[in-house]
Amino acid sequence: MTDRIGGVPAARIAALAAHEAARYAQARPRTQAALAAGGQRYLGGVPMHWMRDWPQPFPMLVARTKGAVIQDIDGHRIDDFCLGDTGSMFGHSPAPVARAIRAQAGRGLTYMLPTEAALQAGALLSDCFGPMRWQIATTATDANRFALRVARAVTGRRKVLVFNGCYHGTVDDTMVRLGPAGTEARPGLVGQVADLTQTAVVAEFNDLASVEAALAAGDVAAILTEPVMTNSCMVLPGQGFHAGLRELATRHGALLIIDETHTISSGLGGYTRVHGLQPDMFVVGKCVAGGVPTAVWGMTEDVAQRFAAYDATRPAGHSGMGTTLSANPMQFACLVATLSQVMTSDNYARMEAGAARLCAGLSKQIAHFAAPWHVVRVGARVEFICAPGPLHTGTQAEAAHHPALEAAIHQALLNRGCLIAPFHNMMLISPATSTRQIDRLVAAFADVLGHLFET
């Protein structure tokens, strides 16, 4: 029997990948020449190592972006559904944010002191995400790391509970998975020396029994979770799962931290506000300042008071939290612009309508070709998954992830003028994304499926 991946013969996937890679390379002579001339100055030829992880044989060099379109230096105009993997979810350089950057640039870029815009941003954050005591970071990785320090401080416990297959940036404690003997470090970690099983424990998403078993040891400071698992194959929460997490965290004395860095696509205020979740701490990054590197993390008044009591008794010295360029005035200018003029209910309504159209179009093509795949949507975020669904756990999501097949599809879509996220099959709809762009993506997807499934 022919080997199949996601229902597609492996030989057909390899042939499509080779054809599309050659087509991509042939269409980008200027990019190849520029990379050959300048790339050797970077480790691995790129300024950030994961830029090598796109499926094409070499990365695009971007000339300019506008709205939901990227143009590379060879002149190709690409409909952008990756949108910086959520960093530009509201479109590239939203006009209010661009104006705020220009205005703040004339007043200074960083000076380690707050501004009036900082005070305004605090009020806007509470209006949008709920009443929290806020702090500002540069990345969601930093924000999650700092939130975990606070959780450990106020509980006196050392471990964080995360879910198998989770995504929380590059926080060391979350780089774990479920192995045959339980919690273990993820394979492939660079320079890992600490025993992560001493500071983390893994449970399965949607499995409250596994959560309760992990909490029973009494050493878990916090449950850190996305409302929806996102960074591999999307897994939606089952009925009652989040209510169960809240009850278990309270009963066992652990804090509940909700990381909305991807699920901010869910609607105004993120999944937490849309679905009425009640976290003790809240984290969001990426697009919260319109694409300028910014993350925010907050805690309830109760947690803030507990932390204040702890802080009053700790020895003087470094807290281990904070970076010099965090909470700079440029971040606050862009936070105010985004929260007041970009992250609006009207924009979310447009994004939701477009995402629903995309979800329906992709699902129709999957049904037409009888592909054993499914589509999942969380607000403005859509993902096709090359396996039957729905998925319920991280273990199932890992099994549904088919890198060779997905890479071939991504390369083929790019050659047809559509860019999606490189590490999974995620697509985002921004307020700037047009119906015509959505329909072009559906047509490109149909063409690719024709090459994979038609005999």
Side-chain angles (χ1 to χ4, degrees), residues 30 60-78 80 92-93:
R30 290 187 63 189
M60 283 193 296
L61 291 177
V62 176
R64 61 185 58 86
T65 63
K66 184 175 181 180
V69 175
I70 286 178
Q71 183 171 324
D72 70 12
I73 68 169
D74 283 281
H76 301 285
R77 287 174 55 84
I78 309 295
D80 186 8
H92 294 289
S93 299

Side-chain angles (χ1 to χ4, degrees), residues 308-393:
Y310 163 86
D311 202 36
T313 61
R314 73 179 177 90
H318 294 290
S319 67
M321 301 188 295
T323 55
T324 301
L325 297 180
S326 292
N328 67 67
M330 186 63 77
Q331 289 177 309
F332 288 119
C334 294
L335 272 169
V336 169
T338 301
L339 293 168
S340 63
Q341 300 178 66
V342 178
M343 193 183 287
T344 65
S345 56
D346 286 346
N347 275 343
Y348 268 112
R350 283 193 287 273
M351 293 156 68
E352 288 257 8
R357 183 183 186 94
L358 176 59
C359 185
L362 298 177
S363 297
K364 181 178 179 180
Q365 295 305 323
I366 287 171
H368 174 76
F369 288 98
W373 302 0
H374 71 289
V375 181
V376 182
R377 179 169 79 88
V378 177
R381 184 185 182 98
V382 179
E383 185 172 349
F384 64 86
I385 297 172
C386 302
L391 306 175
H392 301 288
T393 68

Side-chain angles (χ1 to χ4, degrees), residues 54-55 81-83 85 410 419-427:
W54 291 83
F81 294 91
C82 174
L83 295 170
D85 197 15
H410 292 200
L419 182 71
I420 71 173
F423 312 118
H424 35 84
N425 306 320
M426 187 275 292
M427 298 147 285

